[in-house]
Coordinates of all heavy atoms in Angstrom, one line a residue:
M273 N -16.9 19.3 11.8 CA -16.9 18.2 12.8 C -17.0 16.8 12.1 O -17.6 16.7 11.1 CB -18.1 18.3 13.8 CG -18.0 19.4 14.8 SD -19.4 19.4 16.0 CE -18.9 18.1 17.1
R274 N -16.5 15.9 12.8 CA -16.6 14.5 12.3 C -17.6 13.7 13.1 O -17.7 13.9 14.3 CB -15.3 13.8 12.4 CG -15.2 12.5 11.7 CD -13.9 11.8 11.8 NE -12.9 12.5 11.0 CZ -11.6 12.1 10.9 NH1 -11.2 11.1 11.6 NH2 -10.7 12.8 10.3
F275 N -18.5 13.0 12.4 CA -19.5 12.2 13.0 C -19.4 10.7 12.6 O -19.1 10.4 11.4 CB -20.9 12.7 12.7 CG -21.2 14.1 13.2 CD1 -20.9 15.2 12.4 CD2 -21.8 14.3 14.4 CE1 -21.2 16.5 12.9 CE2 -22.0 15.5 14.9 CZ -21.7 16.6 14.2
M276 N -19.8 9.9 13.5 CA -20.0 8.5 13.2 C -21.5 8.3 13.0 O -22.3 8.5 13.9 CB -19.5 7.6 14.3 CG -19.8 6.1 14.2 SD -18.9 5.3 12.8 CE -17.3 5.1 13.6
L277 N -21.9 7.8 11.8 CA -23.3 7.5 11.6 C -23.5 6.0 11.7 O -22.7 5.2 11.1 CB -23.7 7.9 10.1 CG -23.5 9.4 9.8 CD1 -23.9 9.6 8.3 CD2 -24.2 10.3 10.7
R278 N -24.5 5.6 12.5 CA -24.8 4.2 12.6 C -26.2 4.0 12.3 O -27.1 4.5 13.0 CB -24.5 3.8 14.0 CG -23.0 4.0 14.4 CD -22.5 3.2 15.6 NE -23.5 3.1 16.6 CZ -23.4 2.2 17.6 NH1 -22.4 1.3 17.6 NH2 -24.3 2.1 18.5
H279 N -26.5 3.3 11.3 CA -27.9 2.9 10.8 C -28.1 1.5 11.1 O -27.3 0.6 10.7 CB -28.1 3.3 9.4 CG -29.2 2.6 8.7 ND1 -30.5 3.0 8.9 CD2 -29.2 1.4 8.0 CE1 -31.3 2.1 8.3 NE2 -30.5 1.1 7.7
R280 N -29.3 1.2 11.6 CA -29.7 -0.2 11.8 C -31.0 -0.6 11.1 O -31.9 0.3 11.0 CB -29.9 -0.5 13.3 CG -28.7 -0.3 14.2 CD -29.1 -0.4 15.7 NE -28.0 0.1 16.5 CZ -26.9 -0.7 16.9 NH1 -26.9 -2.0 16.5 NH2 -26.0 -0.3 17.6
H281 N -31.0 -1.8 10.6 CA -32.3 -2.3 10.0 C -32.3 -3.8 10.2 O -31.3 -4.4 10.4 CB -32.4 -1.9 8.5 CG -31.3 -2.4 7.6 ND1 -30.3 -1.6 7.2 CD2 -31.1 -3.6 7.1 CE1 -29.5 -2.3 6.5 NE2 -29.9 -3.6 6.4
D282 N -33.6 -4.3 10.1 CA -33.8 -5.7 10.2 C -33.3 -6.4 8.9 O -33.4 -5.8 7.9 CB -35.2 -6.0 10.5 CG -35.4 -7.5 10.8 OD1 -35.2 -7.9 12.0 OD2 -35.8 -8.3 9.9
A283 N -32.9 -7.6 9.0 CA -32.4 -8.3 7.8 C -33.5 -8.3 6.7 O -33.2 -8.2 5.5 CB -32.0 -9.8 8.1
S284 N -34.8 -8.4 7.1 CA -35.9 -8.4 6.2 C -36.0 -7.0 5.4 O -36.7 -6.9 4.4 CB -37.2 -8.7 6.9 OG -37.5 -7.7 7.8
E285 N -35.4 -6.0 6.0 CA -35.5 -4.6 5.4 C -34.2 -4.3 4.6 O -34.1 -3.1 4.1 CB -35.6 -3.6 6.5 CG -36.9 -3.8 7.3 CD -36.9 -2.9 8.5 OE1 -35.9 -2.8 9.3 OE2 -37.9 -2.2 8.8
C286 N -33.3 -5.2 4.4 CA -32.0 -4.9 3.7 C -32.2 -4.4 2.3 O -31.6 -3.4 2.0 CB -31.2 -6.2 3.7 SG -29.4 -5.9 3.6
A287 N -33.1 -5.0 1.5 CA -33.3 -4.5 0.2 C -33.8 -3.0 0.2 O -33.5 -2.2 -0.7 CB -34.3 -5.4 -0.6
V288 N -34.7 -2.7 1.1 CA -35.2 -1.3 1.3 C -34.1 -0.4 1.6 O -34.0 0.7 1.0 CB -36.3 -1.3 2.4 CG1 -36.8 0.1 2.5 CG2 -37.5 -2.2 2.0
A289 N -33.2 -0.8 2.5 CA -32.1 0.1 2.9 C -31.2 0.4 1.7 O -30.6 1.5 1.7 CB -31.3 -0.6 4.0
Y290 N -31.0 -0.4 0.7 CA -30.2 -0.1 -0.4 C -31.0 0.6 -1.5 O -30.4 1.5 -2.2 CB -29.5 -1.4 -0.9 CG -28.4 -1.8 0.1 CD1 -28.7 -2.7 1.1 CD2 -27.1 -1.4 -0.1 CE1 -27.7 -3.0 2.1 CE2 -26.1 -1.7 0.8 CZ -26.4 -2.6 1.9 OH -25.4 -2.9 2.8
A291 N -32.2 0.2 -1.7 CA -33.1 0.8 -2.7 C -33.3 2.3 -2.4 O -33.5 3.1 -3.3 CB -34.4 0.1 -2.8
A292 N -33.2 2.7 -1.1 CA -33.5 4.0 -0.6 C -32.5 5.0 -1.2 O -32.8 6.2 -1.2 CB -33.5 4.1 0.9
W293 N -31.3 4.5 -1.6 CA -30.3 5.4 -2.2 C -30.6 5.9 -3.6 O -30.0 6.9 -4.1 CB -28.9 4.7 -2.1 CG -28.4 4.5 -0.8 CD1 -28.6 3.4 0.0 CD2 -27.6 5.4 0.0 NE1 -28.0 3.6 1.3 CE2 -27.4 4.8 1.3 CE3 -27.1 6.7 -0.2 CZ2 -26.7 5.5 2.3 CZ3 -26.4 7.3 0.8 CH2 -26.2 6.7 2.0
R294 N -31.5 5.1 -4.3 CA -31.7 5.5 -5.7 C -32.3 6.9 -5.8 O -33.3 7.2 -5.1 CB -32.7 4.5 -6.3 CG -32.0 3.2 -6.8 CD -33.0 2.4 -7.7 NE -32.7 1.0 -7.3 CZ -33.6 0.1 -7.0 NH1 -34.9 0.4 -6.9 NH2 -33.3 -1.1 -6.7
G295 N -31.7 7.7 -6.6 CA -32.2 9.1 -6.8 C -31.9 10.0 -5.7 O -32.3 11.2 -5.7
F296 N -31.1 9.6 -4.7 CA -30.7 10.4 -3.6 C -29.2 10.9 -3.8 O -28.3 10.0 -3.9 CB -30.8 9.7 -2.3 CG -30.5 10.5 -1.1 CD1 -31.4 11.4 -0.6 CD2 -29.3 10.3 -0.4 CE1 -31.2 12.2 0.5 CE2 -29.0 11.1 0.7 CZ -30.0 12.0 1.2
E297 N -29.0 12.2 -3.8 CA -27.6 12.7 -4.0 C -26.9 12.7 -2.6 O -27.5 13.3 -1.7 CB -27.6 14.1 -4.6 CG -28.0 14.0 -6.1 CD -27.1 13.2 -6.9 OE1 -25.9 13.3 -6.7 OE2 -27.6 12.5 -7.8
S298 N -25.7 12.2 -2.6 CA -25.0 12.2 -1.3 C -23.5 11.9 -1.6 O -23.2 11.1 -2.5 CB -25.5 11.1 -0.4 OG -24.6 10.9 0.7
P299 N -22.6 12.5 -0.9 CA -21.2 12.1 -1.1 C -20.9 10.7 -0.6 O -19.8 10.2 -1.0 CB -20.4 13.1 -0.1 CG -21.4 13.6 0.8 CD -22.8 13.5 0.1
L300 N -21.8 10.0 0.0 CA -21.6 8.6 0.4 C -21.9 7.6 -0.7 O -21.4 6.5 -0.6 CB -22.4 8.3 1.7 CG -22.3 9.2 2.9 CD1 -23.2 8.8 4.0 CD2 -20.8 9.2 3.4
R301 N -22.5 8.1 -1.7 CA -22.9 7.1 -2.8 C -21.7 6.7 -3.5 O -20.7 7.4 -3.7 CB -23.9 7.8 -3.7 CG -25.3 7.9 -3.1 CD -26.4 8.0 -4.1 NE -26.5 6.8 -4.8 CZ -27.4 6.7 -5.8 NH1 -28.2 7.7 -6.2 NH2 -27.5 5.5 -6.4
R302 N -21.7 5.4 -3.9 CA -20.7 4.8 -4.7 C -19.3 4.7 -4.0 O -18.3 4.6 -4.6 CB -20.5 5.5 -6.1 CG -21.8 5.3 -7.0 CD -21.7 6.2 -8.2 NE -23.0 6.5 -8.8 CZ -23.8 7.4 -8.3 NH1 -23.5 8.2 -7.3 NH2 -25.0 7.6 -8.9
E303 N -19.4 4.8 -2.7 CA -18.2 4.7 -1.8 C -18.4 3.4 -1.0 O -19.6 3.1 -0.7 CB -18.0 5.9 -0.9 CG -17.8 7.2 -1.6 CD -16.5 7.3 -2.3 OE1 -15.5 6.6 -1.9 OE2 -16.4 8.1 -3.3
S304 N -17.3 2.8 -0.6 CA -17.5 1.6 0.3 C -17.6 2.0 1.7 O -17.1 3.1 2.1 CB -16.3 0.6 0.1 OG -15.1 1.2 0.5
T305 N -18.2 1.2 2.6 CA -18.3 1.4 4.0 C -18.4 0.1 4.7 O -18.5 -0.9 4.0 CB -19.4 2.4 4.4 OG1 -19.2 2.9 5.7 CG2 -20.8 1.7 4.3
L306 N -18.4 0.1 6.0 CA -18.5 -1.1 6.7 C -19.9 -1.4 7.1 O -20.7 -0.5 7.5 CB -17.6 -1.1 8.0 CG -16.1 -1.0 7.8 CD1 -15.4 -0.8 9.2 CD2 -15.6 -2.2 7.1
A307 N -20.3 -2.7 7.0 CA -21.7 -3.1 7.3 C -21.7 -4.6 7.7 O -20.8 -5.3 7.3 CB -22.6 -2.9 6.0
T308 N -22.7 -4.9 8.4 CA -22.9 -6.3 8.7 C -23.8 -7.0 7.8 O -24.1 -8.2 7.9 CB -23.5 -6.5 10.2 OG1 -24.8 -5.9 10.2 CG2 -22.6 -5.8 11.2
C309 N -24.3 -6.3 6.8 CA -25.3 -6.9 5.8 C -24.8 -8.2 5.1 O -25.6 -9.1 4.9 CB -25.7 -5.8 4.8 SG -26.6 -4.4 5.5
A310 N -23.6 -8.2 4.8 CA -23.1 -9.4 4.1 C -22.5 -10.4 5.0 O -22.0 -11.5 4.5 CB -22.0 -8.9 3.1
V311 N -22.6 -10.2 6.3 CA -22.1 -11.2 7.3 C -23.3 -12.1 7.7 O -24.4 -11.6 8.0 CB -21.5 -10.5 8.5 CG1 -21.1 -11.5 9.6 CG2 -20.4 -9.5 8.1
P312 N -23.1 -13.4 7.7 CA -24.2 -14.3 8.1 C -24.6 -13.9 9.6 O -23.8 -13.5 10.4 CB -23.6 -15.7 8.1 CG -22.4 -15.6 7.2 CD -21.9 -14.2 7.3
A313 N -25.9 -14.1 9.8 CA -26.5 -13.8 11.2 C -25.7 -14.5 12.2 O -25.6 -15.7 12.2 CB -28.0 -14.0 11.2
G314 N -25.3 -13.8 13.2 CA -24.5 -14.4 14.3 C -25.2 -14.3 15.6 O -26.4 -14.1 15.6
P315 N -24.5 -14.2 16.7 CA -25.1 -14.1 18.0 C -25.9 -12.8 18.2 O -26.7 -12.7 19.1 CB -23.9 -14.2 19.0 CG -22.7 -14.0 18.1 CD -23.0 -14.3 16.7
D316 N -25.6 -11.8 17.4 CA -26.3 -10.5 17.5 C -27.7 -10.6 16.9 O -28.5 -9.6 17.0 CB -25.5 -9.4 16.9 CG -24.3 -9.0 17.7 OD1 -24.2 -9.5 18.9 OD2 -23.4 -8.4 17.2
G317 N -28.0 -11.7 16.2 CA -29.4 -11.8 15.6 C -29.4 -11.2 14.2 O -28.4 -10.9 13.6
P318 N -30.7 -11.0 13.7 CA -30.9 -10.6 12.3 C -30.7 -9.1 12.1 O -30.9 -8.7 10.9 CB -32.3 -11.1 12.1 CG -33.0 -10.9 13.4 CD -31.9 -11.2 14.4
E319 N -30.4 -8.3 13.1 CA -30.3 -6.9 12.9 C -29.0 -6.6 12.0 O -27.9 -7.2 12.3 CB -30.2 -6.2 14.2 CG -30.1 -4.6 14.0 CD -30.1 -3.9 15.4 OE1 -29.0 -4.0 16.0 OE2 -31.1 -3.4 15.8
H320 N -29.1 -5.7 11.1 CA -28.0 -5.2 10.3 C -27.5 -3.8 10.7 O -28.4 -3.0 11.1 CB -28.3 -5.2 8.8 CG -28.5 -6.6 8.2 ND1 -28.9 -6.7 6.9 CD2 -28.3 -7.8 8.7 CE1 -28.9 -8.1 6.6 NE2 -28.6 -8.7 7.7
L321 N -26.2 -3.6 10.6 CA -25.7 -2.3 11.0 C -24.8 -1.8 9.8 O -24.0 -2.5 9.3 CB -24.8 -2.5 12.2 CG -24.0 -1.3 12.8 CD1 -25.0 -0.2 13.2 CD2 -23.1 -1.7 13.9
L322 N -25.0 -0.5 9.5 CA -24.2 0.2 8.5 C -23.5 1.4 9.2 O -24.2 2.0 10.0 CB -25.0 0.7 7.3 CG -25.4 -0.3 6.2 CD1 -26.7 0.1 5.6 CD2 -24.3 -0.3 5.2
M323 N -22.3 1.6 8.9 CA -21.5 2.7 9.6 C -20.8 3.5 8.6 O -20.2 3.0 7.6 CB -20.5 2.1 10.6 CG -21.2 1.3 11.7 SD -20.1 0.2 12.5 CE -20.0 -1.1 11.4
W324 N -20.8 4.8 8.9 CA -20.0 5.8 8.1 C -19.3 6.8 9.0 O -19.9 7.1 10.1 CB -20.8 6.6 7.1 CG -21.5 5.9 6.1 CD1 -21.1 5.7 4.8 CD2 -22.8 5.2 6.1 NE1 -22.0 5.0 4.1 CE2 -23.1 4.7 4.9 CE3 -23.8 5.1 7.1 CZ2 -24.3 4.0 4.6 CZ3 -25.0 4.4 6.9 CH2 -25.2 3.9 5.6
T325 N -18.2 7.3 8.6 CA -17.6 8.5 9.3 C -17.6 9.6 8.3 O -17.2 9.5 7.2 CB -16.1 8.2 9.7 OG1 -16.1 7.0 10.5 CG2 -15.5 9.3 10.5
V326 N -18.3 10.7 8.7 CA -18.6 11.8 7.8 C -18.1 13.1 8.4 O -18.1 13.3 9.6 CB -20.0 11.9 7.4 CG1 -20.5 10.6 6.7 CG2 -20.9 12.3 8.5
E327 N -17.8 14.1 7.5 CA -17.6 15.5 8.0 C -18.9 16.3 7.7 O -19.5 16.2 6.6 CB -16.4 16.1 7.1 CG -15.1 15.4 7.4 CD -14.5 15.8 8.7 OE1 -14.9 16.9 9.3 OE2 -13.6 15.1 9.2
A328 N -19.3 17.0 8.7 CA -20.5 17.9 8.6 C -20.4 18.9 9.7 O -19.9 18.7 10.8 CB -21.7 17.0 8.7
P329 N -21.1 20.1 9.5 CA -21.1 21.1 10.5 C -22.0 20.8 11.7 O -21.9 21.5 12.7 CB -21.5 22.4 9.8 CG -22.0 21.9 8.5 CD -21.6 20.5 8.2
S330 N -23.0 19.9 11.5 CA -23.9 19.6 12.6 C -24.4 18.2 12.5 O -24.3 17.6 11.4 CB -25.1 20.6 12.5 OG -25.9 20.3 11.3
V331 N -25.1 17.7 13.6 CA -25.7 16.4 13.5 C -26.7 16.3 12.4 O -26.8 15.3 11.7 CB -26.4 16.1 14.9 CG1 -27.2 14.8 14.8 CG2 -25.4 16.0 16.0
E332 N -27.5 17.4 12.3 CA -28.6 17.3 11.3 C -28.0 17.2 9.9 O -28.5 16.4 9.0 CB -29.4 18.6 11.3 CG -30.3 18.7 12.6 CD -29.5 19.1 13.9 OE1 -28.3 19.6 13.7 OE2 -30.0 18.9 15.0
E333 N -26.9 17.9 9.6 CA -26.3 17.9 8.3 C -25.6 16.6 8.0 O -25.5 16.1 6.9 CB -25.4 19.1 8.0 CG -26.3 20.3 7.9 CD -25.4 21.6 7.8 OE1 -24.9 21.9 6.7 OE2 -25.3 22.3 8.9
A334 N -25.1 16.0 9.1 CA -24.4 14.7 9.0 C -25.5 13.6 8.6 O -25.3 12.8 7.7 CB -23.8 14.3 10.3
L335 N -26.6 13.7 9.3 CA -27.7 12.7 9.0 C -28.3 13.0 7.6 O -28.8 12.0 7.0 CB -28.8 12.8 10.1 CG -28.4 12.1 11.4 CD1 -29.5 12.5 12.5 CD2 -28.3 10.6 11.3
A336 N -28.2 14.2 7.1 CA -28.8 14.5 5.8 C -28.0 13.9 4.7 O -28.5 13.9 3.5 CB -28.9 16.1 5.6
Q337 N -26.9 13.3 5.0 CA -26.1 12.6 4.0 C -26.7 11.2 3.7 O -26.3 10.5 2.8 CB -24.6 12.5 4.3 CG -24.0 13.9 4.4 CD -22.5 13.8 4.7 OE1 -21.8 12.9 4.3 NE2 -22.0 14.8 5.3
L338 N -27.6 10.8 4.6 CA -28.3 9.5 4.4 C -29.7 9.8 3.8 O -30.4 10.8 4.2 CB -28.5 8.8 5.8 CG -27.2 8.5 6.5 CD1 -27.6 7.9 7.9 CD2 -26.4 7.5 5.7
P339 N -30.2 8.9 3.0 CA -31.6 9.0 2.6 C -32.5 9.0 3.8 O -32.2 8.4 4.8 CB -31.8 7.7 1.7 CG -30.4 7.2 1.3 CD -29.5 7.7 2.5
P340 N -33.7 9.7 3.7 CA -34.5 9.8 4.8 C -34.9 8.5 5.5 O -34.9 8.4 6.8 CB -35.8 10.5 4.2 CG -35.3 11.2 3.1 CD -34.2 10.4 2.5
W341 N -35.1 7.4 4.8 CA -35.4 6.1 5.4 C -34.3 5.7 6.3 O -34.5 5.1 7.4 CB -35.8 5.1 4.3 CG -36.4 3.8 4.9 CD1 -37.7 3.6 5.1 CD2 -35.7 2.7 5.4 NE1 -37.9 2.3 5.7 CE2 -36.6 1.8 5.8 CE3 -34.3 2.3 5.4 CZ2 -36.3 0.5 6.4 CZ3 -34.0 1.1 6.0 CH2 -35.0 0.2 6.4
L342 N -33.1 5.8 5.9 CA -31.9 5.4 6.7 C -31.7 6.4 7.9 O -31.4 6.0 9.0 CB -30.7 5.3 5.9 CG -30.5 4.0 5.1 CD1 -31.2 4.1 3.8 CD2 -29.0 3.7 4.9
A343 N -31.8 7.7 7.6 CA -31.6 8.7 8.6 C -32.6 8.5 9.8 O -32.2 8.7 10.9 CB -31.7 10.1 8.0
A344 N -33.8 8.2 9.5 CA -34.8 8.0 10.5 C -34.4 6.8 11.4 O -35.0 6.7 12.5 CB -36.2 7.8 9.9
R345 N -33.6 5.9 11.0 CA -33.2 4.8 11.7 C -31.7 4.8 12.0 O -31.0 3.8 12.1 CB -33.5 3.5 10.9 CG -35.0 3.3 10.7 CD -35.3 2.4 9.5 NE -36.7 2.2 9.3 CZ -37.5 3.1 8.7 NH1 -37.0 4.2 8.3 NH2 -38.8 2.9 8.6
A346 N -31.1 6.0 12.2 CA -29.7 6.2 12.4 C -29.4 7.1 13.6 O -30.3 7.9 14.0 CB -29.1 6.7 11.2
E347 N -28.2 7.0 14.1 CA -27.7 8.0 15.1 C -26.4 8.5 14.6 O -25.7 7.9 13.9 CB -27.5 7.3 16.5 CG -26.4 6.3 16.5 CD -26.0 5.9 17.9 OE1 -26.6 6.3 18.9 OE2 -25.1 5.1 18.0
A348 N -26.2 9.8 15.0 CA -24.9 10.5 14.6 C -24.3 10.9 15.9 O -24.9 11.6 16.7 CB -25.2 11.7 13.8
R349 N -23.0 10.4 16.1 CA -22.3 10.8 17.3 C -21.0 11.5 16.9 O -20.3 11.0 16.0 CB -21.9 9.5 18.1 CG -23.0 8.7 18.5 CD -23.7 9.1 19.8 NE -22.7 9.2 20.9 CZ -22.4 8.3 21.7 NH1 -23.0 7.1 21.6 NH2 -21.6 8.5 22.7
P350 N -20.7 12.7 17.5 CA -19.4 13.3 17.2 C -18.2 12.4 17.6 O -18.3 11.8 18.7 CB -19.4 14.6 18.0 CG -20.7 14.6 18.8 CD -21.4 13.3 18.5
V351 N -17.2 12.3 16.8 CA -16.1 11.5 17.1 C -14.8 12.3 16.7 O -14.8 13.2 15.9 CB -16.1 10.2 16.3 CG1 -17.2 9.3 16.8 CG2 -16.2 10.4 14.8
A352 N -13.7 11.9 17.3 CA -12.4 12.4 16.9 C -11.4 11.3 17.1 O -11.6 10.3 17.8 CB -12.0 13.5 17.9
E353 N -10.3 11.4 16.4 CA -9.3 10.4 16.4 C -8.6 10.4 17.8 O -8.4 11.5 18.4 CB -8.3 10.6 15.3 CG -8.8 10.2 14.0 CD -7.7 10.1 12.9 OE1 -6.5 10.3 13.2 OE2 -8.0 9.9 11.7
V354 N -8.2 9.2 18.2 CA -7.4 9.1 19.4 C -6.3 8.2 19.1 O -6.3 7.4 18.1 CB -8.2 8.5 20.6 CG1 -9.3 9.5 21.0 CG2 -8.8 7.2 20.3
L355 N -5.2 8.3 19.9 CA -4.1 7.4 19.8 C -4.2 6.3 20.8 O -4.2 6.6 22.0 CB -2.8 8.2 19.9 CG -1.5 7.4 19.7 CD1 -1.4 6.8 18.3 CD2 -0.3 8.3 20.0
I356 N -4.3 5.1 20.4 CA -4.4 3.9 21.3 C -3.0 3.6 21.9 O -2.1 3.4 21.1 CB -5.0 2.7 20.6 CG1 -6.3 3.0 20.0 CG2 -5.1 1.5 21.6 CD1 -7.4 3.5 21.0
P357 N -2.8 3.7 23.2 CA -1.5 3.5 23.8 C -1.0 2.0 23.6 O -1.8 1.1 23.5 CB -1.6 3.8 25.2 CG -3.1 3.7 25.5 CD -3.8 4.0 24.2
Ligands
ZN833 ZN1 -28.7 -5.1 5.6

């Protein structure tokens, strides 16, 4: 199954969110993804959002691709491709 992982953290926790990957094995490491971390704070406030689309057999295994600190602050939703008319 394919899942969309969405992790949120406060701007003040940004360094923690990246340091949490050190020593953690995951297929997501050293790959690019979309995030608001590098975007100046806008109308949505200081909250940062990181997103990944991953393949995994279950929600638990999808979240296990994130370090525990990120997984505890993330949601995994099953997704599938659609064709926009
Ligand atoms: Zn951030």
Side-chain angles (χ1 to χ4, degrees):
M273 288 182 79
R274 188 180 292 181
F275 294 90
M276 172 70 77
L277 303 180
R278 301 197 324 162
H279 158 81
R280 298 173 189 277
H281 58 258
D282 189 80
S284 65
E285 301 172 312
C286 204
V288 177
Y290 287 87
W293 292 90
R294 276 192 219 126
F296 183 77
E297 288 301 318
S298 169
L300 303 178
R301 289 202 67 184
R302 296 171 201 81
E303 300 288 337
S304 63
T305 195
L306 294 175
T308 64
C309 295
V311 178
D316 290 342
E319 183 181 73
H320 289 176
L321 176 65
L322 278 152
M323 294 161 283
W324 296 266
T325 304
V326 303
E327 293 287 338
S330 67
V331 171
E332 292 77 16
E333 289 173 83
L335 287 169
Q337 295 184 31
L338 299 177
W341 191 88
L342 278 83
R345 295 159 179 80
E347 67 167 3
R349 301 278 304 272
V351 292
E353 284 190 5
V354 295
L355 183 62
I356 304 301

